[in-house]
Amino acid sequence: RVGLRADVVLYSALIDALCKNGLVGSAVSLIDEMTKEGISPNVVTYNSIIDAFGRSAAMESRDGSLGVEPSASSLSTLSGTEDNLVMEIFGQLTTESTNRKKKDCKEGMNELFSILEVIRKMHQLQIKPNVVTFSAILNSCSRCNSFEDASILLEELRLFDNQVYGVVHGLLMGHRESVWLQAQSLFKKVKEMDGSTASAFYNALTDMLWHFGQKRGAQLVALEGRSRQVWENVWSTSCLDLHLMSSGAARAMVHAWLLNIRSVVYEGHELPKVMSILTGWGKHSKVVGDGALRPAVEALLRGMDAPFYLSKCNMGRFTSSGSVVATWLRESATLKLLTLHDQLTIKANKTMRSRDQQEQISLTLQPLLM
């Protein structure tokens, strides 16, 4: 078509737009289409699809619908002179996608198999993964309906990098003592990435650990991220800023911050007059005001009977007076509420052990791409 060159950048933008709207099956089909056209997908193309796993189900449960139509803003990376032709092509894709929505949402296992095929195809084509790839796989694990599905997906990390798999598997199974030195080496490499890539990896890892009950492990990873300044200006005595964190990292950090504040109280220091926890109100969410972080933190605070309440003048801020917080922290039951434990189920342990005991397949493992 005149004025629009179908290349990997265009296809990747279209695939990313479909993925962000939960239309994973359509995105996978588009990869097949671009391959037939002689255009090879790159790591960016594959990362979008891997990270999209489970989004369609998440949208259905949140909105009560089967997804939403992709919008033109999803293609904002394309130049303005190409808009008409792009939207014509995109309209054709979304029409086909609408006819597949119900099928995509009802066949979650087919979606899992599609993602597995995408990862294996990426390996077969020798497309080298990056940290974004690993974060995408971890995010997909967090959206799995069962630990069994997550373990299948997690095994695919073996295809890419044995160090990343070893650290993630060890932390997930609660074997921190045996993998922590290896984890430190991995965290050091991740810190050399740009800030958004590094924070995305920490967010994905803590989310997965929290999702499967390894809450103490999630907290240790979150605190490691704080010590390496992955998130800037995370906390002070008066304020905890959770803006750039995932829900798992944020909840783990709330527990850590309150434990720190408790030690300040027991050292005899007076707390500031106003204490704040900042989550933001969802300005940057897909649906403005519908972010996942604020309700997750609010539910956590309510579950602990923590005396923090949503500010009337700032919907992304929970506040309390220092004296009220100090009184609550001195209560005998509070320490138990604040102390996190790992609660991975026996069934999950058996699932992972059975997979570890399977016959090992010789794989060419690629080093972590920096």
Side-chain angles (χ1 to χ4, degrees):
R1 297 197 177 192
V2 179
L4 183 62
R5 183 167 59 91
D7 57 12
V8 66
V9 176
L10 172 61
Y11 271 105
S12 294
L14 293 170
I15 287 169
D16 186 59
L18 290 170
C19 289
K20 286 179 178 177
N21 287 275
L23 302 173
V24 180
S26 301
V28 172
S29 297
L30 192 54
I31 276 196
D32 294 337
E33 185 66 28
M34 69 184 289
T35 302
K36 289 178 184 177
E37 294 293 326
I39 301 171
S40 299
N42 59 22
V43 66
V44 175
T45 314
Y46 283 110
N47 285 348
S48 295
I49 292 185
I50 296 169
D51 189 54
F53 173 74
R55 289 192 187 277
S56 56
M59 289 178 183
E60 181 180 5
S61 63
R62 186 189 67 202
D63 300 333
S65 63
L66 292 172
V68 295
E69 292 299 325
S71 64
S73 62
S74 301
L75 298 175
S76 58
T77 55
L78 300 174
S79 65
T81 59
E82 299 170 339
D83 279 352
N84 291 337
L85 289 173
V86 169
M87 291 312 299
E88 181 181 345
I89 294 173
F90 199 52
Q92 294 173 358
L93 290 172
T94 54
T95 298
E96 295 172 3
S97 299
T98 300
N99 296 329
R100 285 196 294 261
K101 279 181 186 177
K102 292 184 178 180
K103 184 177 179 181
D104 284 348
C105 289
K106 290 180 179 179
E107 299 181 359
M109 185 55 69
N110 286 344
E111 186 174 311
L112 174 61
F113 289 151
S114 294
I115 296 299
L116 292 175
E117 284 302 313
V118 165
I119 295 173
R120 289 163 188 167
K121 186 68 174 179
M122 187 177 175
H123 179 69
Q124 291 169 8
L125 295 175
Q126 297 185 333
I127 296 176
K128 202 169 185 179
N130 54 26
V131 174
V132 178
T133 311
F134 303 137
S135 298
I137 292 176
L138 296 178
N139 282 329
S140 296
C141 288
S142 298
R143 290 190 287 268
C144 285
N145 293 326
S146 69
F147 190 92
E148 287 77 9
D149 287 354
S151 65
I152 292 171
L153 195 54
L154 191 59
E155 283 291 316
E156 298 307 311
L157 276 176
R158 288 184 188 270
L159 294 174
F160 294 138
D161 193 288
N162 209 31
Q163 182 189 18
V164 177
Y165 172 81
V167 169
V168 172
H169 176 269
L171 292 174
L172 183 59
M173 299 308 297
H175 303 154
R176 288 189 300 275
E177 295 78 7
S178 59
V179 301
W180 196 248
L181 286 179
Q182 194 177 14
Q184 292 280 328
S185 174
L186 175 61
F187 295 151
K188 182 178 180 180
K189 292 177 182 178
V190 171
K191 184 60 175 70
E192 295 171 2
M193 307 275 93
D194 64 272
S196 61
T197 301
S199 63
F201 180 81
Y202 275 89
N203 282 334
L205 180 55
T206 51
D207 261 5
M208 188 198 69
L209 293 173
W210 188 277
H211 180 69
F212 288 110
Q214 293 290 62
K215 296 184 178 181
R216 176 59 179 157
Q219 186 178 66
L220 291 176
V221 172
L223 288 173
E224 184 70 23
R226 175 180 177 259
S227 69
R228 294 178 183 272
Q229 298 181 319
V230 171
W231 303 285
E232 296 181 2
N233 304 318
V234 172
W235 80 29
S236 64
T237 304
S238 63
C239 182
L240 175 64
D241 189 345
L242 305 173
H243 271 96
L244 300 179
M245 295 185 185
S246 62
S247 61
R251 285 176 285 183
M253 198 67 78
V254 167
H255 280 265
W257 181 68
L258 290 173
L259 281 171
N260 179 265
I261 298 301
R262 182 178 182 274
S263 67
V264 171
V265 170
Y266 274 88
E267 287 170 3
H269 301 293
E270 185 176 341
L271 295 182
K273 290 184 178 180
V274 178
M275 308 286 289
S276 300
I277 298 175
L278 306 178
T279 64
W281 56 275
K283 180 173 66 175
H284 302 293
S285 301
K286 179 179 174 59
V287 178
V288 175
D290 191 32
L293 182 56
R294 186 184 67 187
V297 172
E298 184 172 19
L300 178 71
L301 294 172
R302 297 290 78 79
M304 295 190 295
D305 289 326
F308 285 86
Y309 302 95
L310 199 59
S311 172
K312 293 181 180 180
C313 58
N314 185 342
M315 296 302 291
R317 180 187 183 199
F318 295 89
T319 61
S320 184
S321 68
S323 60
V324 171
V325 172
T327 299
W328 176 70
L329 290 171
R330 290 192 184 98
E331 293 177 3
S332 59
T334 301
L335 179 60
K336 185 177 180 179
L337 292 171
L338 295 180
T339 304
L340 292 174
H341 302 282
D342 293 330
Q343 300 171 340
L344 191 65
T345 64
I346 295 174
K347 181 179 180 181
N349 273 284
K350 288 181 178 178
T351 299
M352 293 302 287
R353 278 201 299 269
S354 66
R355 292 190 173 278
D356 288 341
Q357 291 167 359
Q358 291 176 354
E359 181 180 357
Q360 294 297 308
I361 301 174
S362 176
L363 296 173
T364 302
L365 298 171
Q366 300 180 20
L368 178 65
L369 178 63
M370 289 291 121

